[in-house]
Amino acid sequence: MLDHLRYFQAVARCGSLSAAARVLQVSQPGLTAVIKQLEESFGTKLLVRLRTGVSLTSTGEELLRYANESLVRLEELEQRIKGLESDEAGSFVIGCHESLGAYFLPQWMTQFLESNPRIQITLSNAPSRVVLNATVERTVHFGIVVNPEPHPDLVQMKLFRDAVDLFVLAEGAPGTDDLDAAKERLRRGPLVFAGRVLQSQQMIDQLAAMDALPSRLLSCGDLELVKSFALAGLGVAVLPRRVARYWQERRLRRLHPALPFIADEIHLLFRGDAHRTRAFLITKDAIVAHGRALDSDYEQ
């Protein structure tokens, strides 16, 4: 239908079928057939044939107004779509856990938004397994997750390493060369952890196996609350190392390097069939670069 409207518009502008056929580089009989199809489709006569060419009927004039408006809007739409495809403009949702985002995103967002003023970023905070599912379901464009399971619909790119470890307030903590003192501090408890985090339960199992599990366990719903308790000097906290470290000038310290820890890997996820516009690639590359720069300062 759009091509038919373009042909009709050309006939109206040229005032003749033969002249319009030359402009459109089509045969006059073919153009005449298109006009006939339009007239049959609308059930009306659109053109009046004259000796010197053609003129529009009242319904033809109305169709021309519609055709002009529609084709202008279509041209605007084509330019918009081409811009999204190749221009540095777009809107994306990034999903990640709150605590992960708290140390990963602030510096990245500050630099990225300043460098890319036409790319809009929205955040979606949820546990890693929820973010993975949301990426599969296309409700987020990029997922930043911990230890993801492979999924056939997703591209997974390793960003950096972390580990869930045991932390205490640095002030007054036992020395890192005294393992017996560290174990004694651990047994006094309480052990503070985020109950919904799988690695917390893994840590508890390992401590129980080495007979170092405190009798008092304090389960919290959020890593940030665990961190707050640790900063207040309450017990031993089970925390990712990067969560314990950010914005605190090392006020928290690993209880002892010989005690158990759970190694983590943080990955970037996106759908394999994602539309890789220019803005999409810019955003993906920026996340990868920032994450891999973080990996360079990983502490074993």
Side-chain angles (χ1 to χ4, degrees):
M1 178 60 77
L2 287 173
D3 284 340
H4 284 33
L5 291 178
R6 287 192 178 97
Y7 285 6
F8 177 76
Q9 185 186 59
V11 171
R13 287 175 176 171
C14 294
S16 124
L17 286 163
S18 58
R22 287 194 298 271
V23 169
L24 295 169
Q25 296 184 332
V26 298
S27 69
Q28 184 171 335
L31 183 57
T32 300
V34 167
I35 300 302
K36 183 178 180 181
Q37 289 174 14
L38 281 173
E39 290 180 329
E40 290 175 351
S41 176
F42 290 110
T44 186
K45 193 173 184 63
L46 299 172
L47 300 176
V48 176
R49 275 70 171 177
L50 306 173
R51 283 190 307 126
T52 56
V54 294
S55 66
L56 300 180
T57 64
S58 59
T59 53
E61 290 175 351
E62 182 63 24
L63 179 61
L64 180 62
R65 281 192 291 271
Y66 174 84
N68 289 340
E69 292 173 3
S70 298
L71 293 172
V72 167
R73 293 294 301 274
L74 179 62
E75 184 176 347
E76 292 173 352
L77 177 61
E78 288 175 346
Q79 292 302 316
R80 171 65 176 163
I81 296 302
K82 289 177 181 177
L84 289 174
E85 186 71 31
S86 60
D87 203 0
E88 298 178 1
S91 179
F92 305 103
V93 179
I94 297 176
C96 67
H97 189 277
E98 295 92 334
S99 297
L100 191 162
Y103 67 77
F104 182 84
L105 289 174
Q107 183 180 7
W108 180 82
M109 288 280 284
T110 300
Q111 297 172 348
F112 182 82
L113 295 181
E114 182 177 349
S115 301
N116 301 279
R118 299 177 63 199
I119 298 179
Q120 176 69 35
I121 299 295
T122 303
L123 302 180
S124 175
N125 298 126
S128 288
R129 63 183 179 277
V130 176
V131 171
L132 186 148
N133 290 334
T135 309
V136 172
E137 295 166 3
R138 306 177 194 274
T139 56
V140 304
H141 298 92
F142 299 102
I144 303 172
V145 304
V146 182
N147 301 333
E149 293 291 332
H151 192 285
D153 293 338
L154 298 179
V155 175
Q156 299 187 4
M157 303 182 69
K158 180 182 173 182
L159 297 179
F160 57 92
R161 294 163 291 170
D162 200 356
V164 173
D165 214 327
L166 299 168
F167 286 89
V168 291
L169 194 63
E171 183 180 350
T176 56
D177 57 346
D178 192 340
L179 179 57
D180 290 336
K183 288 182 178 179
E184 178 58 30
R185 177 66 188 90
L186 180 58
R187 292 188 183 98
R188 289 203 312 269
L191 185 70
V192 189
F193 59 95
R196 65 177 179 172
V197 175
L198 175 63
Q199 293 91 325
S200 295
Q201 187 58 55
Q202 293 173 341
M203 178 68 77
I204 289 171
D205 293 343
Q206 291 194 32
L207 293 177
M210 60 183 294
D211 194 27
L213 187 66
S215 59
R216 178 173 288 177
L217 305 180
L218 177 57
S219 177
C220 304
D222 183 81
L223 289 171
E224 297 304 315
L225 185 55
V226 174
K227 182 176 179 178
S228 295
F229 281 142
L231 289 168
L234 178 64
V236 179
V238 180
L239 285 170
R241 291 174 185 172
R242 295 180 187 274
V243 172
R245 190 173 69 181
Y246 82 88
W247 304 124
Q248 293 302 326
E249 299 179 355
R250 301 188 183 273
R251 291 180 58 201
L252 297 179
R253 201 198 71 191
R254 291 177 67 188
L255 181 57
H256 196 282
L259 289 172
F261 64 87
I262 312 296
D264 283 338
E265 286 188 355
I266 289 76
H267 289 239
L268 173 66
L269 309 181
F270 54 89
R271 285 193 60 93
D273 61 359
H275 190 190
R276 288 168 169 78
T277 62
R278 174 66 176 155
F280 180 96
L281 295 175
I282 288 173
T283 306
K284 183 263 292 181
D285 291 344
I287 293 172
V288 171
H290 183 63
R292 291 180 177 172
L294 277 181
D295 197 54
S296 65
D297 70 355
Y298 178 67
E299 297 179 357
Q300 299 288 345

